[in-house]
Amino acid sequence: MFIQKVKLGEPIVSVVRAGAQWAKAGFPIVSGEDFEERKRICSECEFWNANAFGGLGRCGKCGCSGVKLRLATSKCPVRKW
């Protein structure tokens, strides 16, 4: 498994940007099916660290802990979903 080091401020910036974009769009969320598909894709990704955050997981690319999977305005940083 490849784990990329994320600079300390990058996850914070990523979350703030994602949250602002989500709010501007009116807080849309993905369907349950889309969420499960995104979750599956992330769990199989070389950047996903399933052991991070007490087993909740974390993306080694953008620092996401899975919250962005529900936001309809979010995109995978390596374009997998």
Side-chain angles (χ1 to χ4, degrees):
M1 175 190 315
F2 173 79
I3 304 296
Q4 180 181 355
K5 292 186 179 186
V6 177
K7 292 180 185 175
L8 184 59
E10 289 177 10
I12 295 167
V13 171
S14 177
V15 167
V16 170
R17 283 185 181 152
Q21 184 181 30
W22 184 55
K24 186 177 180 179
F27 305 102
I29 59 171
V30 298
S31 69
E33 293 152 354
D34 286 344
F35 171 74
E36 290 300 324
E37 178 66 7
R38 287 179 174 193
K39 191 164 92 172
R40 182 194 63 74
I41 290 167
C42 287
S43 72
E44 296 172 358
C45 179
E46 68 272 18
F47 296 109
W48 188 252
N49 178 357
N51 298 318
F53 291 118
L56 294 175
R58 178 179 181 197
C59 176
K61 196 67 170 172
C62 72
C64 172
S65 63
V67 174
K68 287 173 38 178
L69 299 177
R70 291 221 182 258
L71 310 183
T73 54
S74 292
K75 293 179 175 51
C76 170
V78 291
R79 298 185 172 116
K80 292 190 176 192
W81 48 261

